[in-house]
């Protein structure tokens, strides 16, 4: 089991052009507001307060970069689908995140977080379709697994997968997580380390 990682906050950026240029492989976390992106970053890092978490959706407004063990980066991105944000703000969000996704050269993989308790949401499907079109590789993390029983969780995820398969020929790599009880941590970190090793070997 990976213990606490050596994590350094690199800063918050409103523009990909302002993000520090580095060759370290970067993994970004995205998904609807409140799905648990920042909590997951904390859970993975083993530090409770490195990324700001809130009950109110729309907490993360900028691209937050973290460097892990001087070997790889995490980008905690602002969530989409936050209804209370003004239209201007939503456009700004779109620009900031889209530019990041399309222009960040060291971005290796995007984790799309999906709430394991909810049926597949149009906004998530639309976002994944966008990634497909732009050839942005992504994996899925089903969050907040602690909120359902094992059986419920199985059923809910099967429903989401069924819906995904109406849009895709195959499912991407997937993980189930809980920031509450740390489930999924080892799997997600092993997966990232595996990809990092492949990159080094190339
Ligand atoms: P934005 O930054 O607003 O886009 O949200 P976010 O996706 O970063 O969500 P955040 O991590 O701030 O969490 C939102 C709320 O969900 C907080 O109240 C968290 O405590 C709660 N939460 C996140 N992950 C989990 C989880 O795995 N289990 C449970 N029970 N609650 C969680
Ligand atoms: Mg956040």
């Amino acid at each position: 089991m990976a213990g606490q990682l050596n994590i350094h906050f690199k800063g918050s950026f409103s523009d990909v052009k302002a993000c520090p240029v580095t060759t370290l492989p970067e993994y970004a976390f995205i998904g609807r507001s409140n799905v648990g992106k920042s909590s997951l970053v904390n859970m993975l890092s083993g530090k409770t307060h490195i990324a700001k978490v809130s009950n109110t959706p729309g907490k993360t407004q900028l691209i937050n970069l973290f460097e892990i063990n001087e070997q790889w980066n995490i980008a905690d991105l602002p969530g989409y689908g936050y209804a209370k944000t003004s239209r201007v703000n939503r456009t700004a969000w779109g620009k900031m995140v889209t530019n990041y996704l399309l222009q960040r050269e060291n971005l290796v993989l995007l984790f799309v977080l999906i709430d394991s308790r909810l049926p597949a949401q149009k906004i998530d499907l639309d976002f994944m379709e966008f990634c497909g079109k732009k050839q942005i590789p992504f994996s899925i993390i089903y969050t907040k697994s602690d909120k359902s029983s094992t059986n419920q969780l199985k059923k809910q995820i099967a429903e989401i997968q069924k819906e995904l398969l109406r849009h895709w020929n195959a499912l991407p790599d997937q993980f189930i997580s809980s920031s509450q009880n740390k489930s999924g941590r080892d799997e997600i970190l092993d997966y990232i380390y595996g990809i990092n090793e492949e990159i080094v070997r190339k």
Side-chain angles (χ1 to χ4, degrees):
M1 166 125 187
Q4 185 170 310
L5 308 180
N6 183 3
I7 181 163
H8 281 289
F9 177 56
K10 304 292 282 181
S12 302
F13 308 95
S14 60
D15 188 341
V16 62
K17 291 196 183 81
C19 294
V21 175
T22 167
T23 53
L24 294 182
E26 193 157 291
Y27 297 83
F29 294 82
I30 202 161
R32 283 189 313 121
S33 266
N34 221 39
V35 70
K37 299 174 291 295
S38 301
S39 303
L40 184 71
V41 169
N42 289 331
M43 187 272 263
L44 291 177
S45 76
K47 281 192 184 165
T48 327
H49 299 299
I50 194 109
K52 289 196 184 99
V53 166
S54 167
N55 280 322
T56 323
K59 178 69 186 173
T60 310
Q61 301 261 355
L62 299 166
I63 301 162
N64 292 297
L65 293 182
F66 303 88
E67 190 182 282
I68 317 293
N69 295 350
E70 292 166 21
Q71 284 169 344
W72 54 285
N73 275 3
I74 284 179
D76 179 19
L77 299 175
Y80 47 75
Y82 174 42
K84 277 192 189 151
T85 304
S86 68
R87 230 154 78 98
V88 174
N89 242 338
R90 273 207 292 271
T91 316
W93 178 90
K95 256 198 191 153
M96 171 169 58
V97 173
T98 309
N99 286 342
Y100 170 83
L101 294 174
L102 297 176
Q103 295 173 24
R104 185 70 169 156
E105 290 197 7
N106 58 323
L107 176 65
V108 170
L109 182 76
L110 182 62
F111 287 100
V112 178
L113 275 59
I114 293 184
D115 192 322
S116 63
R117 297 166 303 168
L118 304 177
Q121 305 282 300
K122 184 172 185 309
I123 195 160
D124 292 323
L125 296 167
D126 287 350
F127 179 75
M128 286 185 265
E129 192 183 318
F130 163 81
C131 293
K133 274 196 188 134
K134 299 291 183 189
Q135 296 188 304
I136 300 162
F138 68 89
S139 299
I140 292 178
I141 299 178
Y142 300 103
T143 63
K144 307 192 184 184
S145 63
D146 57 280
K147 293 212 177 191
S148 309
S149 70
T150 313
N151 273 343
Q152 272 175 324
L153 186 67
K154 252 194 196 162
K155 253 198 210 157
Q156 287 157 194
I157 290 177
E159 282 299 317
I160 301 173
Q161 289 172 330
K162 210 163 106 189
E163 184 59 31
L164 285 172
L165 285 170
R166 294 181 41 187
H167 302 261
W168 299 83
N169 293 327
L171 295 171
D173 292 332
Q174 300 164 87
F175 302 89
I176 299 172
S177 79
S178 161
S179 302
Q180 195 97 329
N181 63 25
K182 294 193 176 358
S183 69
R185 181 171 187 258
D186 289 354
E187 289 86 347
I188 295 167
L189 287 176
D190 281 350
Y191 180 68
I192 290 173
Y193 293 155
I195 299 173
N196 286 346
E197 269 171 31
E198 259 174 52
I199 293 172
V200 171
R201 260 190 261 122
K202 264 187 207 160

